[in-house]
Amino acid sequence: MGFMNRVFLSLGSNINREHNLPAAVQLLQARVPVIAVSAVYETAPSGLKDQPNFFNAAVLIETALQAEAIKDQLIADVETALKRERQEDKNAPRTIDIDIAFLNDTVLEYIPADGRPRQIPDPDLLRMVHAIVPIAELAPDMHHPLTDERLEAIAARLLAESDRKGIW
C-alpha cells in the first residue's frame, strides 16, 4: 500500500437531502476508507436564494488518488449515482455536491475533466460558513495552509461575521 492522502470533502444537498446526503457518505464508504464524518448542518442557500435550504457535512477519507482522479472518478461516481445534474447556474438546487476541501496540507490548482480549474484548499473555506464549520468540527486544530489559522478559529470568525441566526 503506497502513500495515502488524507482528504477532506465538503458535501451538500438540497434535493431530497434527507436521503442524498447519507447516501453519498455510504457510496464513499463503499469506495474508500472514510475516517470521520461530521454532523449534518442545515444552511441557507448562497447565490440563488429561492430554493430549499441545504444539508451540509464533511468527511475525511484516505485515498492514494490525486486531486484530478478524486474529482473525475470518486466524486463523479458518487454524484452520478445520485443523479447530480449540472445547471447553468452553479448555485442551482442539487441532489449532491461534493468538493475537495483539503488534500493533506497542500496548496495547488488542478484541472479536472470539465476543464474548470479548481483550487485546494477550497477558497470557500475562508469565506463560507457552510464550508468551514463541518470540517472544523472534524479537525479543529488543523492549520489552514495559506493563512496558518486553526480551522476552529476560521469557523468562529465566519460564524461571528454571519448576520444570520439559526440557519446560516
Side-chain angles (χ1 to χ4, degrees), residues 12 36 40 43 45 50 64 85 104 117 120 142:
V40 174
T43 63
D50 188 19
E85 291 177 21
N104 303 316
I120 297 175
M142 182 175 153

Side-chain angles (χ1 to χ4, degrees), residues 49-82:
K49 301 290 188 205
D50 188 19
Q51 61 177 318
N53 284 339
F54 279 83
F55 276 176
N56 291 96
V59 298
L60 171 59
I61 65 168
E62 287 187 342
T63 177
L65 297 175
Q66 295 304 312
E68 291 85 355
I70 294 167
K71 185 72 175 168
D72 294 338
Q73 296 168 27
L74 180 65
I75 291 174
D77 282 357
V78 173
E79 289 184 343
T80 300
L82 294 175

Side-chain angles (χ1 to χ4, degrees), residues 91-122:
N91 293 314
R94 62 211 76 155
T95 57
I96 193 69
D97 182 28
I98 305 175
D99 294 308
I100 302 170
F102 290 108
L103 176 68
N104 303 316
D105 58 358
T106 56
V107 176
L108 62 97
E109 184 172 278
Y110 70 101
I111 302 177
D114 66 11
R116 288 180 31 233
R118 306 288 203 304
Q119 294 174 313
I120 297 175
D122 186 333

